Amino acid sequence: MTEYGRGRSPEPWHPEDPLYGDQVWSGHEAQQGQMSYGGGPQQQYPQEPQYQEPQYQQPSYPQQGPHDPYAQQQQAQHQQQQQHSGQHQGYAPQQAHPQQAHPQQAHPQQYVGQPQQQPTYAGQNWDTGQGQYAAAVQADPYVGADPYAQQTVGAYPGEAPDLYTTEEAYPPPVPPGRRHLEPEPADDLDEEPDTSFFSGEGGGDDDGDEPPGRRSGRSKGGKPKKRSGTACLLAAVVILGVVGGGGYYGYSYLKARFGATEDFSGEGSGETVDVEIPKGAGLGQMGRILKEAGVVASAQAFVDAANANPKGKAIQPGIYPMKQKMSGAAAVALMVDPSKLNVLTIAEGMRSATVYQAIDRKLGKPEGSTREIAEREFKNLGLPAWATDNPKVVDPLEGFLYPMRYDLSKDSTPESLLKQMVKNATDKYTELGIEGKAKELGLENPLQVVTVASLVNAEGKNHDDFRKMSEVVYNRLKKNNYVTNQKLEFDSTYNYIKGKSDINFSLKEARAFDNPYNTHFVKGLPPGPIGNPGADALTATLTPDHGGWMFFVSVDGDKTTFTKTYEEHQKLADEFQERQKQKNGG
């Protein structure tokens, strides 16, 4: 079966060719015919039998010499106009070719029309598919029509004009052998175009006369384009920046990795500075803080010294008064010594009078300076309103100087420290919700909650005893307490009003001493706290043991024993008195 529309090589029609694809181009159906090769007459090939029907041979027309395919358009147009005006085109029987190899002679119909000559390119005939077909085979009804002739518009219904004659039409078909010829070289390609970054040419410098993708390397005026000096300078700056930056960081890395660690020598020669180490800081962060303060030469020097010191990893957060230009080892030695740490630590249960003395010593103030400020400024230190309800309270700040560690700086004053302590206590009481829990515990106000906590903290020997101690307080405050007649009889209250901490005193004298804080003399709680309770005592006060304890005694001065009855308590009290006599040599 003949391959229509193909040349000598097995390549398809060009995509822009109207004959490419499905045999339809601009309204005209593709003409099919035999292609002649080599300029000789076309060779006829028998058709393969299909569906047991007789085969017919297409008629062949003699090839004509070279001619211009467009020269026939006027003649074809003139003939078509004559045919259309006088008669309809029809089909006439054709003569069967004698060379048909089949037993039956076929008489195909022949289309009445002018046979067209085949165009010739480079001395070779090229079939454009304008042959004629028999009506018995599957043939184009328009066989024989010249594809290059001007078609008369409206001659046949549905027929479109020939688009090859318009300005927007595709170019005439090109022979297969000439479809991929290289374009002729340009006249000015002897010079390579300069399209580099330094040429200064952008994507929009085309003249418009050259095809896309090709540049002549010259501007519209014919002169070579100049390189941009700004672009060269910018590139040089970028290169120098990259090289310089890389060299600097490389040098810094090598120096930090293999160079000797910078470090000062000695105990320091500069002024004293306060360095604050935050909570949770690691050695590296500590070293950076010290370096920024001018204490050490480098953070690595401090880290190395801390790792070499057995106590280096136990450095406490806080404010340290340190000299500038200290060696890493000297800085670590100072910070691992707790006495060098510039802090004030308030112990749990410590009395306010003791706190005032500690502040005076730490800040270098004359003795009594802090107490005087507390008595004069207590209303301006941030106390809650319920803290000053009882006018019998000896010290309004008692119970509100919250026990913890306080970092000091050169700007610390007694007043600033007292304010900070009161704030911490108030925040803690609010956190625990003591205002709402006072009534639940059978107490009159939140101040009594703090007072009970101060008693628990003063009488307890360890934290495990605090809940039992609070149970003793609540049981003795009950109205049905006929054993002690609602008296607490805590020695700590008598010592508080006396300003002492003795455990050996005359019980007879204590019971005769008339003072609202002396629970051996008065019933119920004292007017206010007798110390500054810590978190454990406060929690135990809010959650008593509920073991029914009424008495307690510490026989050996270390362990506290709790009892429910007076008989058990008396037995332990006698044992305690006996030990005290032996201890005193009596």
Side-chain angles (χ1 to χ4, degrees):
M1 185 174 180
T2 305
E3 291 180 281
Y4 297 106
R6 302 181 62 87
R8 293 181 179 179
S9 59
E11 59 184 25
W13 288 104
H14 192 275
E16 295 180 358
D17 195 305
L19 295 181
Y20 179 81
D22 60 348
Q23 307 290 330
V24 178
W25 40 321
S26 302
H28 298 285
E29 297 194 8
Q31 308 294 327
Q32 296 182 350
Q34 301 290 343
M35 177 178 288
S36 174
Y37 298 93
Q42 295 180 347
Q43 182 180 357
Q44 304 298 323
Y45 297 93
Q47 298 290 334
E48 294 293 333
Q50 297 181 359
Y51 305 102
Q52 304 300 326
E53 294 181 3
Q55 305 295 320
Y56 295 91
Q57 182 69 28
Q58 293 180 353
S60 176
Y61 295 93
Q63 302 293 331
Q64 298 182 5
H67 67 282
D68 186 0
Y70 297 96
Q72 299 178 3
Q73 293 182 2
Q74 299 296 330
Q75 180 182 359
Q77 182 177 6
H78 179 69
Q79 291 175 357
Q80 290 177 1
Q81 291 176 355
Q82 291 178 352
Q83 293 173 0
H84 296 163
S85 63
Q87 61 182 1
H88 293 288
Q89 291 181 346
Y91 292 88
Q94 294 182 351
Q95 298 294 329
H97 291 270
Q99 66 268 26
Q100 180 68 31
H102 295 278
Q104 297 180 358
Q105 294 289 333
H107 300 278
Q109 293 180 349
Q110 182 176 0
Y111 176 72
V112 179
Q114 175 94 20
Q116 302 298 325
Q117 294 181 349
Q118 303 294 333
T120 303
Y121 296 91
Q124 174 179 324
N125 289 335
W126 175 54
D127 190 0
T128 60
Q130 298 176 5
Q132 295 180 349
Y133 290 86
V137 295
Q138 297 178 359
D140 194 323
Y142 299 98
V143 171
D146 186 359
Y148 300 104
Q150 177 68 33
Q151 302 296 327
T152 303
V153 178
Y156 296 97
E159 184 177 6
D162 188 358
L163 298 180
Y164 282 107
T165 61
T166 63
E167 294 181 358
E168 296 82 2
Y170 286 105
V174 180
R178 299 190 61 185
R179 289 179 183 167
H180 300 286
L181 294 179
E182 295 293 334
E184 296 182 2
D187 296 337
D188 54 353
L189 292 181
D190 54 344
E191 181 180 350
E192 291 292 332
D194 188 2
T195 59
S196 63
F197 169 76
F198 299 103
S199 66
E201 296 184 16
D205 292 339
D206 294 338
D207 297 334
D209 298 333
E210 300 181 9
R214 175 176 295 176
R215 292 177 181 269
S216 64
R218 298 179 181 273
S219 61
K220 294 183 179 180
K223 297 181 180 180
K225 296 183 178 181
K226 297 182 180 180
R227 290 178 172 84
S228 173
T230 304
C232 296
L233 179 60
L234 177 61
V237 171
V238 171
I239 293 173
L240 290 176
V242 171
V243 173
Y248 172 77
Y249 284 109
Y251 170 76
S252 301
Y253 172 78
L254 292 176
K255 182 178 179 182
R257 182 68 177 82
F258 302 104
T261 302
E262 296 185 15
D263 195 7
F264 295 128
S265 60
E267 301 295 327
S269 57
E271 62 178 352
T272 301
V273 294
D274 292 329
V275 179
E276 182 176 2
I277 302 299
K279 186 176 182 179
L283 294 179
Q285 184 179 355
M286 293 181 187
R288 290 189 291 272
I289 293 174
L290 293 173
K291 182 180 183 304
E292 292 176 0
V295 176
V296 296
S298 64
Q300 191 61 43
F302 174 81
V303 173
D304 293 341
N307 288 327
N309 192 309
K311 299 180 180 180
K313 296 183 179 180
I315 297 177
Q316 297 292 319
I319 298 177
Y320 294 86
M322 307 184 74
K323 292 283 188 180
Q324 289 185 326
K325 297 183 179 181
M326 299 177 68
S327 66
V332 172
L334 184 148
M335 298 176 74
V336 296
D337 185 359
S339 64
K340 303 296 184 181
L341 186 63
N342 194 17
V343 297
L344 174 64
T345 302
I346 305 301
E348 294 182 358
M350 183 179 290
R351 299 173 184 170
S352 294
T354 307
V355 174
Y356 300 149
Q357 294 174 0
I359 293 175
D360 289 341
R361 288 194 302 267
K362 199 65 180 179
L363 296 182
K365 301 295 182 180
E367 185 177 355
S369 299
T370 305
R371 174 184 284 275
E372 181 182 352
I373 294 174
E375 292 176 352
R376 184 180 68 248
E377 301 291 339
F378 73 92
K379 291 184 179 180
N380 301 322
L381 298 178
L383 290 171
W386 49 264
T388 57
D389 287 345
N390 195 336
K392 297 181 179 180
V393 172
V394 174
D395 188 349
L397 297 183
E398 195 75 73
F400 292 91
L401 304 180
Y402 193 72
M404 61 178 297
R405 196 187 75 182
Y406 293 89
D407 297 322
L408 307 179
S409 67
K410 60 182 179 180
D411 297 328
S412 297
T413 62
E415 186 174 4
S416 66
L417 285 175
L418 293 176
K419 285 183 177 181
Q420 185 63 42
M421 294 176 182
V422 172
K423 181 181 183 305
N424 291 342
T426 303
D427 292 344
K428 188 63 177 180
Y429 299 155
T430 302
E431 176 188 343
L432 296 175
I434 63 173
E435 291 189 60
K437 294 182 179 180
K439 299 298 182 181
E440 298 178 7
L441 297 172
L443 302 176
E444 297 178 1
N445 51 58
L447 183 61
Q448 288 192 344
V449 178
V450 180
T451 302
V452 173
S454 68
L455 295 172
V456 168
N457 217 145
E459 293 287 347
K461 299 297 181 182
N462 51 63
H463 298 296
D464 295 335
D465 296 340
F466 287 160
R467 293 187 65 198
K468 293 181 179 179
M469 191 67 67
S470 63
E471 175 70 5
V472 170
V473 174
Y474 293 132
N475 287 333
R476 291 191 179 185
L477 291 177
K478 291 180 178 179
K479 295 181 178 180
N480 59 357
N481 173 22
Y482 300 108
V483 178
T484 64
N485 294 321
Q486 300 179 13
K487 290 183 179 180
L488 295 180
E489 295 183 345
F490 279 14
D491 294 345
S492 56
T493 58
Y494 179 76
N495 285 326
Y496 175 78
I497 200 64
K498 289 287 187 177
K500 300 179 179 179
S501 297
D502 297 338
I503 58 174
N504 292 321
F505 58 85
S506 173
L507 187 57
K508 184 178 180 179
E509 293 179 1
R511 290 176 177 174
F513 182 68
D514 186 1
N515 189 282
Y517 277 85
N518 182 14
T519 57
H520 284 285
F521 182 82
V522 297
K523 295 181 180 181
L525 293 171
I530 62 172
N532 295 282
D536 289 343
L538 288 167
T539 303
T541 300
L542 299 176
T543 57
D545 179 71
H546 297 296
W549 312 112
M550 284 289 294
F551 304 93
F552 63 94
V553 64
S554 177
V555 178
D556 56 4
D558 186 24
K559 181 180 179 181
T560 303
T561 303
F562 294 86
T563 60
K564 298 179 181 180
T565 64
Y566 179 77
E567 289 76 16
E568 293 175 330
H569 170 71
Q570 190 61 45
K571 181 179 180 181
L572 293 175
D574 293 343
E575 184 178 346
F576 171 75
Q577 292 295 335
E578 185 64 28
R579 289 192 177 188
Q580 288 298 111
K581 290 180 181 180
Q582 294 177 1
K583 183 178 179 180
N584 295 330

